[in-house]
Amino acid sequence: MQDETAYVVTIDGPGGSGKGSLAIRVARELNLHLLDSGAIYRLLALKGLQQGVDLDQQHEVVVLLNDFNIRFDAGDDLSIPYLDNRDVSTEIRREDAGDAASRVARHAEVRQGLLEIQRAFLKPPGLVADGRDMGTVVFPNARFKFFLYASIEIRAQRRYKQLINMGLSANIAHLQAEIAERDERDQKRSASPLKPAEDALIVDSSLLDQAQVTELVLSHIREAG
Ligand code: C5P
């Protein structure tokens, strides 16, 4: 059940569309809590990889939820994800963790098992939640819903810069192929596929910088009050 005193802003979209940094900026500007739901899928995938689980087998992945010990601590800029009390901020950002996350995310029982964990992030005064199904499944009653997208070339370039800035190696052509493959997997799965909620405002971020997208979203929220 959603807390009636707290409101939700959902930001969904494919990887590299800029929804993560948009969510951080909007949450900061409006003083709201933040849910990076992709990080939760990445943490579960990391746990599976560590334990040598076959990520394509739903029953093997579901078992991991019985002992899924995660938390997010406030950092200087981004929040710091912990898995079994270990800081895994760099590990979960790697492309192999993203790819593994999209494999565990295909299983309906896994998604169901993660629902309550995600909804528990909603506390007064409210929450900005980013992911693939925030507006369609996790917070269908959200007050504001946005769906962000950008061309695949632009998304690959953004991901490249992100990884290089983190000191990780990357290759643009390889990234573009991986993003296309992940898009296809996220859009075609039967459990909560990536798609805009019917009442979402669709924003094309291809030709806008972060500040412009943030301003567009904030002004929409402020105008709607
Ligand atoms: O957004 P991020 O790249 O961190 O997400 C990693 C993967 O987790 C996505 O490719 C997607 O398959 C999955 N995911 C999801 N539902 C969400 C958030 C992420 O299926 N709400």
Side-chain angles (χ1 to χ4, degrees), residues 158-224:
R158 289 182 185 157
R159 202 64 135 189
Y160 178 81
K161 282 190 198 146
Q162 227 176 31
L163 293 169
I164 297 297
N165 286 340
M166 289 172 75
L168 298 168
S169 63
N171 168 294
I172 289 251
H174 191 208
L175 280 176
Q176 201 165 309
E178 273 182 357
I179 288 175
E181 193 184 320
R182 184 126 49 101
D183 276 1
E184 164 135 348
R185 204 182 287 156
D186 288 349
Q187 285 161 355
K188 294 210 169 139
R189 69 180 175 222
S190 56
S192 313
L194 168 67
K195 63 170 186 203
E198 277 176 17
D199 48 351
L201 181 73
I202 299 182
V203 179
D204 181 356
S205 75
S206 304
L207 301 175
L208 302 175
D209 65 23
Q210 284 187 358
Q212 290 169 317
V213 179
T214 309
E215 201 35 56
L216 194 153
V217 164
L218 285 174
S219 56
H220 179 79
I221 292 176
R222 288 183 180 128
E223 277 165 27

Short mmCIF file of all heavy atoms in Angstrom, two decimals, residues 158-224:
data_model
loop_
_atom_site.label_atom_id
_atom_site.label_comp_id
_atom_site.label_asym_id
_atom_site.label_seq_id
_atom_site.Cartn_x
_atom_site.Cartn_y
_atom_site.Cartn_z
N ARG A 158 26.90 7.99 -24.12
CA ARG A 158 26.77 8.38 -22.71
C ARG A 158 27.33 7.29 -21.79
O ARG A 158 28.03 7.57 -20.83
CB ARG A 158 25.30 8.61 -22.36
CG ARG A 158 24.75 9.87 -22.98
CD ARG A 158 23.32 10.04 -22.55
NE ARG A 158 22.71 11.18 -23.22
CZ ARG A 158 21.41 11.35 -23.39
NH1 ARG A 158 20.56 10.44 -22.94
NH2 ARG A 158 20.95 12.41 -23.98
N ARG A 159 26.99 6.04 -22.11
CA ARG A 159 27.47 4.91 -21.30
C ARG A 159 28.99 4.86 -21.35
O ARG A 159 29.66 4.62 -20.34
CB ARG A 159 26.85 3.63 -21.85
CG ARG A 159 26.80 2.48 -20.90
CD ARG A 159 25.93 2.72 -19.69
NE ARG A 159 25.06 1.60 -19.39
CZ ARG A 159 24.11 1.61 -18.51
NH1 ARG A 159 23.87 2.68 -17.79
NH2 ARG A 159 23.37 0.56 -18.28
N TYR A 160 29.55 5.12 -22.53
CA TYR A 160 31.00 5.09 -22.72
C TYR A 160 31.67 6.10 -21.78
O TYR A 160 32.59 5.78 -21.04
CB TYR A 160 31.32 5.41 -24.18
CG TYR A 160 32.79 5.46 -24.49
CD1 TYR A 160 33.51 4.30 -24.72
CD2 TYR A 160 33.46 6.69 -24.55
CE1 TYR A 160 34.87 4.35 -24.98
CE2 TYR A 160 34.82 6.75 -24.82
CZ TYR A 160 35.52 5.57 -25.04
OH TYR A 160 36.85 5.62 -25.29
N LYS A 161 31.14 7.33 -21.78
CA LYS A 161 31.72 8.39 -20.94
C LYS A 161 31.60 8.03 -19.47
O LYS A 161 32.55 8.21 -18.69
CB LYS A 161 31.00 9.72 -21.18
CG LYS A 161 31.45 10.40 -22.45
CD LYS A 161 30.89 11.82 -22.54
CE LYS A 161 30.95 12.34 -23.96
NZ LYS A 161 29.88 13.22 -24.33
N GLN A 162 30.43 7.49 -19.09
CA GLN A 162 30.19 7.09 -17.71
C GLN A 162 31.25 6.07 -17.24
O GLN A 162 31.85 6.22 -16.18
CB GLN A 162 28.83 6.39 -17.65
CG GLN A 162 27.90 6.83 -16.55
CD GLN A 162 26.56 6.10 -16.71
OE1 GLN A 162 26.50 4.98 -17.20
NE2 GLN A 162 25.49 6.75 -16.32
N LEU A 163 31.48 5.05 -18.08
CA LEU A 163 32.41 3.98 -17.70
C LEU A 163 33.84 4.49 -17.64
O LEU A 163 34.59 4.18 -16.72
CB LEU A 163 32.29 2.80 -18.68
CG LEU A 163 30.95 2.07 -18.63
CD1 LEU A 163 30.80 1.11 -19.80
CD2 LEU A 163 30.81 1.29 -17.32
N ILE A 164 34.22 5.32 -18.62
CA ILE A 164 35.57 5.87 -18.65
C ILE A 164 35.80 6.75 -17.40
O ILE A 164 36.84 6.67 -16.74
CB ILE A 164 35.82 6.69 -19.95
CG1 ILE A 164 35.72 5.78 -21.18
CG2 ILE A 164 37.14 7.44 -19.91
CD1 ILE A 164 36.75 4.67 -21.27
N ASN A 165 34.79 7.56 -17.06
CA ASN A 165 34.92 8.41 -15.87
C ASN A 165 35.07 7.60 -14.59
O ASN A 165 35.62 8.08 -13.62
CB ASN A 165 33.69 9.33 -15.72
CG ASN A 165 33.74 10.45 -16.73
OD1 ASN A 165 34.81 10.76 -17.27
ND2 ASN A 165 32.59 11.04 -17.02
N MET A 166 34.55 6.37 -14.62
CA MET A 166 34.68 5.52 -13.45
C MET A 166 35.99 4.74 -13.46
O MET A 166 36.24 3.89 -12.61
CB MET A 166 33.51 4.54 -13.37
CG MET A 166 32.20 5.21 -13.02
SD MET A 166 30.83 4.07 -13.18
CE MET A 166 31.09 3.08 -11.71
N GLY A 167 36.81 4.98 -14.50
CA GLY A 167 38.10 4.29 -14.58
C GLY A 167 37.97 2.88 -15.16
O GLY A 167 38.90 2.08 -15.04
N LEU A 168 36.81 2.58 -15.78
CA LEU A 168 36.62 1.25 -16.36
C LEU A 168 36.87 1.32 -17.87
O LEU A 168 36.75 2.38 -18.46
CB LEU A 168 35.19 0.76 -16.10
CG LEU A 168 34.81 0.60 -14.62
CD1 LEU A 168 33.31 0.39 -14.46
CD2 LEU A 168 35.56 -0.57 -14.00
N SER A 169 37.23 0.19 -18.49
CA SER A 169 37.48 0.23 -19.93
C SER A 169 36.16 0.03 -20.68
O SER A 169 35.22 -0.56 -20.15
CB SER A 169 38.48 -0.85 -20.32
OG SER A 169 37.92 -2.09 -20.03
N ALA A 170 36.10 0.56 -21.92
CA ALA A 170 34.86 0.45 -22.69
C ALA A 170 35.16 0.61 -24.17
O ALA A 170 36.18 1.21 -24.55
CB ALA A 170 33.88 1.52 -22.24
N ASN A 171 34.26 0.08 -25.00
CA ASN A 171 34.39 0.18 -26.45
C ASN A 171 33.01 0.52 -27.01
O ASN A 171 32.02 -0.17 -26.74
CB ASN A 171 34.87 -1.20 -26.95
CG ASN A 171 34.79 -1.35 -28.45
OD1 ASN A 171 33.70 -1.36 -29.02
ND2 ASN A 171 35.93 -1.46 -29.09
N ILE A 172 32.92 1.62 -27.77
CA ILE A 172 31.62 2.15 -28.21
C ILE A 172 30.81 1.12 -29.02
O ILE A 172 29.63 0.90 -28.75
CB ILE A 172 31.80 3.42 -29.08
CG1 ILE A 172 32.27 4.59 -28.22
CG2 ILE A 172 30.52 3.76 -29.83
CD1 ILE A 172 31.24 5.67 -27.99
N ALA A 173 31.46 0.48 -30.02
CA ALA A 173 30.71 -0.45 -30.88
C ALA A 173 30.16 -1.61 -30.05
O ALA A 173 29.02 -2.05 -30.21
CB ALA A 173 31.62 -0.97 -31.98
N HIS A 174 31.00 -2.07 -29.12
CA HIS A 174 30.60 -3.18 -28.27
C HIS A 174 29.43 -2.75 -27.37
O HIS A 174 28.45 -3.48 -27.20
CB HIS A 174 31.83 -3.57 -27.43
CG HIS A 174 31.67 -4.86 -26.70
ND1 HIS A 174 32.32 -5.14 -25.53
CD2 HIS A 174 30.89 -5.92 -26.96
CE1 HIS A 174 31.95 -6.33 -25.11
NE2 HIS A 174 31.09 -6.83 -25.96
N LEU A 175 29.53 -1.53 -26.84
CA LEU A 175 28.48 -1.01 -25.96
C LEU A 175 27.15 -0.90 -26.70
O LEU A 175 26.10 -1.26 -26.18
CB LEU A 175 28.85 0.39 -25.43
CG LEU A 175 29.82 0.44 -24.26
CD1 LEU A 175 30.16 1.88 -23.94
CD2 LEU A 175 29.20 -0.23 -23.04
N GLN A 176 27.25 -0.42 -27.96
CA GLN A 176 26.02 -0.24 -28.75
C GLN A 176 25.33 -1.59 -28.99
O GLN A 176 24.11 -1.70 -28.87
CB GLN A 176 26.37 0.42 -30.08
CG GLN A 176 25.18 1.09 -30.72
CD GLN A 176 25.61 2.04 -31.83
OE1 GLN A 176 26.48 2.88 -31.65
NE2 GLN A 176 25.01 1.88 -32.99
N ALA A 177 26.14 -2.59 -29.27
CA ALA A 177 25.57 -3.93 -29.51
C ALA A 177 24.94 -4.46 -28.22
O ALA A 177 23.86 -5.06 -28.24
CB ALA A 177 26.66 -4.87 -30.00
N GLU A 178 25.62 -4.23 -27.09
CA GLU A 178 25.08 -4.72 -25.81
C GLU A 178 23.78 -4.02 -25.44
O GLU A 178 22.84 -4.63 -24.94
CB GLU A 178 26.11 -4.51 -24.70
CG GLU A 178 27.08 -5.66 -24.59
CD GLU A 178 28.07 -5.50 -23.47
OE1 GLU A 178 28.06 -4.44 -22.80
OE2 GLU A 178 28.86 -6.42 -23.27
N ILE A 179 23.75 -2.70 -25.71
CA ILE A 179 22.54 -1.93 -25.37
C ILE A 179 21.37 -2.43 -26.22
O ILE A 179 20.25 -2.62 -25.73
CB ILE A 179 22.78 -0.42 -25.59
CG1 ILE A 179 23.71 0.12 -24.51
CG2 ILE A 179 21.47 0.36 -25.56
CD1 ILE A 179 24.12 1.57 -24.68
N ALA A 180 21.64 -2.69 -27.52
CA ALA A 180 20.57 -3.16 -28.41
C ALA A 180 20.04 -4.51 -27.92
O ALA A 180 18.83 -4.75 -27.89
CB ALA A 180 21.10 -3.29 -29.84
N GLU A 181 20.96 -5.36 -27.50
CA GLU A 181 20.57 -6.69 -27.03
C GLU A 181 19.75 -6.58 -25.74
O GLU A 181 18.73 -7.24 -25.57
CB GLU A 181 21.84 -7.51 -26.79
CG GLU A 181 21.59 -8.97 -26.59
CD GLU A 181 22.88 -9.70 -26.25
OE1 GLU A 181 23.93 -9.35 -26.86
OE2 GLU A 181 22.87 -10.56 -25.38
N ARG A 182 20.20 -5.69 -24.85
CA ARG A 182 19.49 -5.52 -23.56
C ARG A 182 18.11 -4.89 -23.77
O ARG A 182 17.14 -5.28 -23.15
CB ARG A 182 20.35 -4.66 -22.61
CG ARG A 182 19.78 -4.51 -21.24
CD ARG A 182 20.73 -4.91 -20.14
NE ARG A 182 22.04 -4.34 -20.23
CZ ARG A 182 22.44 -3.30 -19.51
NH1 ARG A 182 21.61 -2.69 -18.70
NH2 ARG A 182 23.68 -2.88 -19.60
N ASP A 183 18.02 -3.91 -24.69
CA ASP A 183 16.73 -3.29 -25.03
C ASP A 183 15.74 -4.37 -25.46
O ASP A 183 14.60 -4.41 -25.02
CB ASP A 183 16.87 -2.35 -26.24
CG ASP A 183 17.35 -0.97 -25.84
OD1 ASP A 183 17.60 -0.74 -24.65
OD2 ASP A 183 17.47 -0.11 -26.75
N GLU A 184 16.25 -5.22 -26.35
CA GLU A 184 15.37 -6.25 -26.92
C GLU A 184 14.88 -7.18 -25.82
O GLU A 184 13.71 -7.52 -25.73
CB GLU A 184 16.17 -7.02 -27.99
CG GLU A 184 15.53 -8.31 -28.37
CD GLU A 184 15.49 -8.54 -29.87
OE1 GLU A 184 15.76 -7.59 -30.63
OE2 GLU A 184 15.19 -9.68 -30.26
N ARG A 185 15.81 -7.56 -24.91
CA ARG A 185 15.43 -8.47 -23.82
C ARG A 185 14.43 -7.79 -22.88
O ARG A 185 13.45 -8.38 -22.45
CB ARG A 185 16.70 -8.85 -23.05
CG ARG A 185 16.58 -10.16 -22.34
CD ARG A 185 17.85 -10.45 -21.56
NE ARG A 185 18.96 -10.84 -22.39
CZ ARG A 185 20.25 -10.70 -22.03
NH1 ARG A 185 20.56 -10.15 -20.87
NH2 ARG A 185 21.20 -11.09 -22.82
N ASP A 186 14.66 -6.51 -22.59
CA ASP A 186 13.78 -5.79 -21.66
C ASP A 186 12.39 -5.54 -22.27
O ASP A 186 11.39 -5.57 -21.56
CB ASP A 186 14.39 -4.43 -21.25
CG ASP A 186 15.58 -4.59 -20.31
OD1 ASP A 186 15.79 -5.71 -19.81
OD2 ASP A 186 16.29 -3.59 -20.07
N GLN A 187 12.37 -5.31 -23.59
CA GLN A 187 11.08 -4.98 -24.23
C GLN A 187 10.26 -6.22 -24.55
O GLN A 187 9.03 -6.17 -24.56
CB GLN A 187 11.32 -4.20 -25.53
CG GLN A 187 11.71 -2.77 -25.27
CD GLN A 187 12.41 -2.12 -26.47
OE1 GLN A 187 12.68 -2.77 -27.48
NE2 GLN A 187 12.70 -0.85 -26.35
N LYS A 188 10.95 -7.33 -24.80
CA LYS A 188 10.22 -8.51 -25.27
C LYS A 188 9.86 -9.48 -24.16
O LYS A 188 9.13 -10.44 -24.40
CB LYS A 188 11.03 -9.22 -26.34
CG LYS A 188 11.17 -8.36 -27.58
CD LYS A 188 11.28 -9.17 -28.85
CE LYS A 188 11.13 -8.27 -30.05
NZ LYS A 188 12.06 -8.60 -31.11
N ARG A 189 10.37 -9.29 -22.93
CA ARG A 189 10.04 -10.26 -21.88
C ARG A 189 8.55 -10.16 -21.54
O ARG A 189 7.95 -9.08 -21.68
CB ARG A 189 10.91 -10.04 -20.64
CG ARG A 189 10.59 -8.76 -19.92
CD ARG A 189 11.45 -8.55 -18.69
NE ARG A 189 11.16 -7.26 -18.14
CZ ARG A 189 12.05 -6.39 -17.67
NH1 ARG A 189 13.33 -6.69 -17.71
NH2 ARG A 189 11.67 -5.25 -17.18
N SER A 190 7.99 -11.26 -21.07
CA SER A 190 6.55 -11.23 -20.77
C SER A 190 6.28 -10.57 -19.42
O SER A 190 5.23 -9.96 -19.23
CB SER A 190 5.96 -12.63 -20.82
OG SER A 190 6.68 -13.45 -19.95
N ALA A 191 7.23 -10.69 -18.46
CA ALA A 191 7.01 -10.11 -17.13
C ALA A 191 7.42 -8.64 -17.11
O ALA A 191 8.60 -8.33 -17.27
CB ALA A 191 7.80 -10.88 -16.07
N SER A 192 6.46 -7.74 -16.93
CA SER A 192 6.73 -6.29 -16.84
C SER A 192 7.71 -5.79 -17.89
O SER A 192 8.78 -5.30 -17.54
CB SER A 192 7.29 -5.94 -15.45
OG SER A 192 6.57 -6.51 -14.43
N PRO A 193 7.38 -5.92 -19.17
CA PRO A 193 8.32 -5.44 -20.19
C PRO A 193 8.50 -3.92 -20.11
O PRO A 193 7.63 -3.23 -19.58
CB PRO A 193 7.63 -5.84 -21.51
CG PRO A 193 6.20 -5.96 -21.17
CD PRO A 193 6.12 -6.40 -19.74
N LEU A 194 9.63 -3.48 -20.65
CA LEU A 194 9.89 -2.04 -20.69
C LEU A 194 8.91 -1.39 -21.67
O LEU A 194 8.92 -1.70 -22.87
CB LEU A 194 11.33 -1.81 -21.17
CG LEU A 194 11.68 -0.37 -21.56
CD1 LEU A 194 11.66 0.54 -20.34
CD2 LEU A 194 13.04 -0.31 -22.23
N LYS A 195 8.05 -0.51 -21.15
CA LYS A 195 7.15 0.25 -22.03
C LYS A 195 6.63 1.44 -21.23
O LYS A 195 6.56 1.38 -19.99
CB LYS A 195 5.98 -0.62 -22.53
CG LYS A 195 5.09 -1.14 -21.43
CD LYS A 195 3.84 -1.77 -22.00
CE LYS A 195 2.91 -2.13 -20.84
NZ LYS A 195 1.97 -3.14 -21.07
N PRO A 196 6.24 2.50 -21.92
CA PRO A 196 5.73 3.65 -21.17
C PRO A 196 4.37 3.36 -20.56
O PRO A 196 3.57 2.67 -21.18
CB PRO A 196 5.59 4.74 -22.24
CG PRO A 196 6.18 4.21 -23.49
CD PRO A 196 6.30 2.73 -23.37
N ALA A 197 4.12 3.87 -19.37
CA ALA A 197 2.77 3.79 -18.80
C ALA A 197 1.87 4.64 -19.70
O ALA A 197 2.35 5.60 -20.32
CB ALA A 197 2.78 4.33 -17.37
N GLU A 198 0.59 4.28 -19.76
CA GLU A 198 -0.32 5.03 -20.64
C GLU A 198 -0.39 6.50 -20.26
O GLU A 198 -0.61 7.37 -21.10
CB GLU A 198 -1.71 4.42 -20.60
CG GLU A 198 -1.81 3.24 -21.53
CD GLU A 198 -3.14 2.54 -21.45
OE1 GLU A 198 -4.10 3.14 -20.93
OE2 GLU A 198 -3.20 1.39 -21.92
N ASP A 199 -0.23 6.79 -18.96
CA ASP A 199 -0.33 8.17 -18.49
C ASP A 199 1.04 8.82 -18.28
O ASP A 199 1.16 9.80 -17.55
CB ASP A 199 -1.17 8.25 -17.20
CG ASP A 199 -0.76 7.22 -16.16
OD1 ASP A 199 0.06 6.33 -16.50
OD2 ASP A 199 -1.23 7.30 -15.03
N ALA A 200 2.08 8.26 -18.92
CA ALA A 200 3.42 8.86 -18.76
C ALA A 200 3.66 9.95 -19.80
O ALA A 200 3.16 9.87 -20.93
CB ALA A 200 4.48 7.78 -18.91
N LEU A 201 4.43 10.95 -19.41
CA LEU A 201 4.87 11.97 -20.37
C LEU A 201 6.17 11.43 -21.01
O LEU A 201 7.11 11.09 -20.30
CB LEU A 201 5.14 13.28 -19.64
CG LEU A 201 5.59 14.43 -20.54
CD1 LEU A 201 4.42 14.95 -21.36
CD2 LEU A 201 6.18 15.57 -19.72
N ILE A 202 6.18 11.35 -22.32
CA ILE A 202 7.36 10.80 -23.00
C ILE A 202 8.32 11.92 -23.37
O ILE A 202 7.92 12.93 -23.97
CB ILE A 202 6.92 10.00 -24.24
CG1 ILE A 202 6.03 8.85 -23.75
CG2 ILE A 202 8.11 9.48 -25.02
CD1 ILE A 202 5.53 7.91 -24.80
N VAL A 203 9.58 11.75 -22.96
CA VAL A 203 10.57 12.80 -23.18
C VAL A 203 11.73 12.22 -24.00
O VAL A 203 12.34 11.22 -23.60
CB VAL A 203 11.13 13.31 -21.81
CG1 VAL A 203 12.18 14.39 -22.04
CG2 VAL A 203 10.01 13.81 -20.91
N ASP A 204 12.03 12.82 -25.14
CA ASP A 204 13.17 12.39 -25.95
C ASP A 204 14.38 13.22 -25.52
O ASP A 204 14.42 14.44 -25.73
CB ASP A 204 12.87 12.62 -27.43
CG ASP A 204 14.01 12.17 -28.33
OD1 ASP A 204 15.07 11.76 -27.78
OD2 ASP A 204 13.87 12.22 -29.56
N SER A 205 15.36 12.56 -24.90
CA SER A 205 16.50 13.29 -24.36
C SER A 205 17.68 13.33 -25.33
O SER A 205 18.75 13.82 -24.97
CB SER A 205 16.95 12.67 -23.02
OG SER A 205 17.64 11.47 -23.25
N SER A 206 17.49 12.84 -26.59
CA SER A 206 18.63 12.74 -27.52
C SER A 206 19.33 14.08 -27.71
O SER A 206 20.56 14.15 -27.73
CB SER A 206 18.17 12.26 -28.89
OG SER A 206 17.50 11.05 -28.79
N LEU A 207 18.55 15.15 -27.88
CA LEU A 207 19.15 16.44 -28.22
C LEU A 207 19.16 17.41 -27.04
O LEU A 207 19.40 18.60 -27.21
CB LEU A 207 18.42 17.05 -29.42
CG LEU A 207 18.46 16.18 -30.68
CD1 LEU A 207 17.63 16.77 -31.78
CD2 LEU A 207 19.90 15.95 -31.15
N LEU A 208 18.89 16.91 -25.85
CA LEU A 208 18.85 17.80 -24.68
C LEU A 208 19.98 17.42 -23.73
O LEU A 208 20.33 16.24 -23.62
CB LEU A 208 17.51 17.64 -23.94
CG LEU A 208 16.24 17.92 -24.74
CD1 LEU A 208 15.01 17.60 -23.90
CD2 LEU A 208 16.20 19.38 -25.19
N ASP A 209 20.54 18.40 -23.02
CA ASP A 209 21.53 18.03 -22.01
C ASP A 209 20.79 17.77 -20.69
O ASP A 209 19.58 17.97 -20.58
CB ASP A 209 22.64 19.08 -21.90
CG ASP A 209 22.15 20.44 -21.41
OD1 ASP A 209 21.09 20.48 -20.75
OD2 ASP A 209 22.81 21.45 -21.70
N GLN A 210 21.57 17.33 -19.69
CA GLN A 210 20.94 16.93 -18.42
C GLN A 210 20.15 18.06 -17.79
O GLN A 210 19.06 17.86 -17.25
CB GLN A 210 22.02 16.47 -17.44
CG GLN A 210 22.55 15.10 -17.75
CD GLN A 210 23.49 14.61 -16.65
OE1 GLN A 210 23.77 15.32 -15.70
NE2 GLN A 210 23.98 13.41 -16.80
N ALA A 211 20.72 19.27 -17.86
CA ALA A 211 20.06 20.41 -17.22
C ALA A 211 18.72 20.71 -17.91
O ALA A 211 17.72 21.00 -17.25
CB ALA A 211 20.96 21.63 -17.28
N GLN A 212 18.70 20.58 -19.24
CA GLN A 212 17.45 20.86 -19.98
C GLN A 212 16.36 19.82 -19.68
O GLN A 212 15.20 20.17 -19.50
CB GLN A 212 17.73 20.90 -21.49
CG GLN A 212 18.55 22.11 -21.90
CD GLN A 212 19.04 22.00 -23.34
OE1 GLN A 212 19.50 20.94 -23.77
NE2 GLN A 212 18.93 23.08 -24.09
N VAL A 213 16.77 18.55 -19.62
CA VAL A 213 15.78 17.51 -19.31
C VAL A 213 15.24 17.71 -17.89
O VAL A 213 14.04 17.60 -17.64
CB VAL A 213 16.41 16.10 -19.43
CG1 VAL A 213 15.39 15.02 -19.08
CG2 VAL A 213 16.92 15.86 -20.82
N THR A 214 16.14 18.02 -16.98
CA THR A 214 15.72 18.23 -15.58
C THR A 214 14.73 19.38 -15.50
O THR A 214 13.70 19.28 -14.83
CB THR A 214 16.95 18.54 -14.68
OG1 THR A 214 17.94 17.55 -14.92
CG2 THR A 214 16.57 18.53 -13.21
N GLU A 215 15.04 20.46 -16.21
CA GLU A 215 14.16 21.63 -16.16
C GLU A 215 12.79 21.31 -16.75
O GLU A 215 11.75 21.70 -16.20
CB GLU A 215 14.82 22.79 -16.94
CG GLU A 215 14.32 24.15 -16.57
CD GLU A 215 13.95 24.29 -15.08
OE1 GLU A 215 14.82 24.03 -14.23
OE2 GLU A 215 12.78 24.64 -14.78
N LEU A 216 12.80 20.53 -17.84
CA LEU A 216 11.53 20.16 -18.47
C LEU A 216 10.65 19.36 -17.48
O LEU A 216 9.46 19.64 -17.31
CB LEU A 216 11.86 19.31 -19.69
CG LEU A 216 10.80 19.02 -20.73
CD1 LEU A 216 11.49 18.80 -22.07
CD2 LEU A 216 9.98 17.81 -20.40
N VAL A 217 11.27 18.39 -16.82
CA VAL A 217 10.54 17.53 -15.88
C VAL A 217 10.08 18.33 -14.66
O VAL A 217 8.92 18.25 -14.23
CB VAL A 217 11.44 16.33 -15.48
CG1 VAL A 217 10.92 15.62 -14.24
CG2 VAL A 217 11.52 15.35 -16.65
N LEU A 218 10.98 19.16 -14.12
CA LEU A 218 10.61 19.95 -12.93
C LEU A 218 9.49 20.94 -13.26
O LEU A 218 8.57 21.12 -12.46
CB LEU A 218 11.82 20.70 -12.39
CG LEU A 218 12.84 19.84 -11.63
CD1 LEU A 218 14.07 20.68 -11.27
CD2 LEU A 218 12.24 19.22 -10.38
N SER A 219 9.56 21.54 -14.44
CA SER A 219 8.51 22.53 -14.73
C SER A 219 7.16 21.83 -14.93
O SER A 219 6.13 22.33 -14.52
CB SER A 219 8.87 23.44 -15.89
OG SER A 219 9.15 22.67 -17.01
N HIS A 220 7.20 20.62 -15.48
CA HIS A 220 5.94 19.87 -15.63
C HIS A 220 5.36 19.56 -14.23
O HIS A 220 4.15 19.73 -14.01
CB HIS A 220 6.21 18.56 -16.37
CG HIS A 220 4.99 17.72 -16.56
ND1 HIS A 220 4.07 17.98 -17.54
CD2 HIS A 220 4.51 16.66 -15.86
CE1 HIS A 220 3.08 17.10 -17.44
NE2 HIS A 220 3.33 16.29 -16.43
N ILE A 221 6.21 19.14 -13.31
CA ILE A 221 5.75 18.81 -11.95
C ILE A 221 5.21 20.07 -11.27
O ILE A 221 4.14 20.04 -10.65
CB ILE A 221 6.90 18.19 -11.12
CG1 ILE A 221 7.26 16.81 -11.69
CG2 ILE A 221 6.53 18.08 -9.64
CD1 ILE A 221 8.45 16.13 -11.04
N ARG A 222 5.96 21.15 -11.41
CA ARG A 222 5.53 22.39 -10.72
C ARG A 222 4.23 22.93 -11.29
O ARG A 222 3.36 23.37 -10.55
CB ARG A 222 6.64 23.43 -10.80
CG ARG A 222 7.80 23.05 -9.88
CD ARG A 222 8.91 24.09 -9.87
NE ARG A 222 9.98 23.70 -8.99
CZ ARG A 222 11.26 23.64 -9.32
NH1 ARG A 222 11.65 23.97 -10.53
NH2 ARG A 222 12.15 23.27 -8.44
N GLU A 223 4.10 22.86 -12.60
CA GLU A 223 2.86 23.36 -13.23
C GLU A 223 1.66 22.54 -12.81
O GLU A 223 0.59 23.06 -12.56
CB GLU A 223 2.98 23.36 -14.76
CG GLU A 223 3.68 24.57 -15.29
CD GLU A 223 4.12 24.40 -16.73
OE1 GLU A 223 3.47 23.61 -17.46
OE2 GLU A 223 5.12 25.03 -17.12
N ALA A 224 1.87 21.20 -12.75
CA ALA A 224 0.74 20.33 -12.39
C ALA A 224 0.46 20.43 -10.89
O ALA A 224 -0.60 20.04 -10.43
CB ALA A 224 1.05 18.91 -12.77
#
